Amino acid sequence: MGRGKIPIRRIENNTTRQVTFSKRRAGLLKKTHELAVLCDAQIGLIIFSSTGKKFEYCSEPSRMEQIIERYQKFTGNSIPEHDNREEIHNEMRKLRKETHRLQLSMRCYTGEDLSSIQYEDLDQLEQQLECSVNKVRARKNQLLQQQLDNLRRKEQMLEEENCKLYNWIKEHRAALEYQQVALEAKHQQEMERFPFSGEGQPSSVLQLGTLPSLLHSYHLQPIQPNLQDLSLQPHNYGITIILNYYHHMFFH
């Protein structure tokens, strides 16, 4: 089947219309370039899209201005130059008047040069100033309320963090107290195991000498050569027993 003809009318869908414009514009520019190169023709092509964007093509080495000027000479039509200097001057005068009026209005709002203003104008100016002050105060109160809300949220966050830290410290304090109690109990057990604790602690060297079987297990360490030499002397037997006792107490 052959390809059907597309009716030539405006495409209503914006996306489809833009896609069709891009494709056909590219094809038109391509055909224009081929015609200018193959036939050595001078061509100037100007395209404006529906959005106002301009596309143009000009065959080399000519420029678009040269082609337009040549077209004007050939047809006898010239584009009239619009002298808008008078229009610019009028617009400038209007702007000066508006600027002067605004400056006088600003001086009235600042309380300067009120001698030439009538009572009705002063009453109206007072009402406008009161309305402006009310708006300024409302905006100020709004900002203050926002800052107050932010401070309250920060205060709540700090209270929550403080509560968490308090619970953490409380838990760790209980654990430390438990460890301290356990250490004290262990220390008490070690003290109870020691035979000289409490009332049974010897009060003199003679009492130490009456416990040969108990002190027999207390011996000197090899790392104490001076004490070993001292223990070999018979007349230092009592001193040896005391040294063995304290050595066992601090090193076992």
Side-chain angles (χ1 to χ4, degrees):
M1 295 180 63
R3 183 177 180 181
K5 293 183 179 180
I6 300 176
I8 304 301
R9 64 172 181 268
R10 182 178 182 272
I11 302 174
E12 298 298 333
N13 186 273
N14 293 331
T15 303
T16 306
R17 184 170 62 249
Q18 184 64 29
V19 172
T20 303
F21 173 78
S22 299
K23 291 181 179 180
R24 299 214 171 197
R25 183 199 68 213
L28 179 60
L29 293 175
K30 181 180 178 181
K31 293 296 183 182
T32 304
H33 175 70
E34 292 177 355
L35 179 61
V37 173
L38 294 175
C39 302
D40 195 17
Q42 294 182 358
I43 303 175
L45 176 63
I46 302 175
I47 304 172
F48 290 96
S49 66
S50 59
T51 58
K53 191 174 182 181
K54 185 189 73 170
F55 303 90
E56 64 179 28
Y57 172 82
C58 182
S59 57
E60 297 178 355
S62 302
R63 294 183 293 107
M64 185 63 69
E65 291 81 3
Q66 294 176 350
I67 293 178
I68 293 175
E69 184 179 357
R70 184 176 179 181
Y71 170 78
Q72 291 175 353
K73 289 180 180 179
F74 181 80
T75 58
N77 298 325
S78 60
I79 300 175
E81 295 182 358
H82 181 64
D83 189 5
N84 57 352
R85 287 179 292 179
E86 186 67 23
E87 182 179 353
I88 292 175
H89 286 289
N90 294 332
E91 188 68 22
M92 290 178 63
R93 284 194 293 269
K94 291 180 181 179
L95 291 175
R96 288 195 186 100
K97 290 181 181 180
E98 184 67 19
T99 302
H100 182 66
R101 186 185 68 82
L102 292 174
Q103 289 177 351
L104 292 177
S105 177
M106 292 298 298
R107 295 180 65 183
C108 293
Y109 282 110
T110 56
E112 300 177 2
D113 194 14
L114 300 177
S115 59
S116 60
I117 302 178
Q118 301 297 325
Y119 176 80
E120 292 79 5
D121 296 335
L122 289 174
D123 187 36
Q124 184 178 2
L125 178 62
E126 182 181 6
Q127 293 178 2
Q128 291 177 355
L129 290 175
E130 288 180 354
C131 182
S132 300
V133 169
N134 292 332
K135 291 181 179 179
V136 171
R137 288 175 178 172
R139 178 57 179 169
K140 180 181 177 181
N141 292 332
Q142 182 181 2
L143 293 177
L144 290 175
Q145 186 64 34
Q146 291 178 358
Q147 293 178 1
L148 182 60
D149 294 339
N150 292 333
L151 291 175
R152 287 175 178 173
R153 285 194 293 268
K154 290 181 180 179
E155 181 182 4
Q156 184 178 2
M157 293 174 60
L158 290 175
E159 288 181 355
E160 293 177 356
E161 292 181 359
N162 189 19
C163 183
K164 291 180 180 179
L165 288 174
Y166 175 77
N167 294 332
W168 183 84
I169 293 173
K170 187 176 180 181
E171 293 176 357
H172 284 71
R173 180 179 295 175
L176 290 175
E177 291 178 355
Y178 176 78
Q179 293 179 359
Q180 185 176 1
V181 171
L183 289 175
E184 291 179 356
K186 185 176 180 181
H187 179 69
Q188 185 66 26
Q189 292 177 1
E190 294 293 335
M191 293 297 295
E192 291 177 356
R193 290 175 54 190
F194 194 72
F196 296 149
S197 62
E199 298 178 355
Q201 185 173 2
S203 58
S204 63
V205 178
L206 297 177
Q207 292 183 2
L208 288 173
T210 60
L211 301 172
S213 61
L214 181 61
L215 296 177
H216 186 268
S217 60
Y218 301 153
H219 56 85
L220 294 175
Q221 297 293 331
I223 60 175
Q224 303 291 337
N226 296 331
L227 295 179
Q228 288 179 357
D229 296 339
L230 184 62
S231 62
L232 295 176
Q233 300 178 9
H235 60 276
N236 293 330
Y237 179 73
I239 298 175
T240 304
I241 294 174
I242 296 173
L243 292 176
N244 288 336
Y245 162 68
Y246 283 106
H247 180 76
H248 178 79
M249 181 176 173
F250 288 103
F251 293 97
H252 288 274

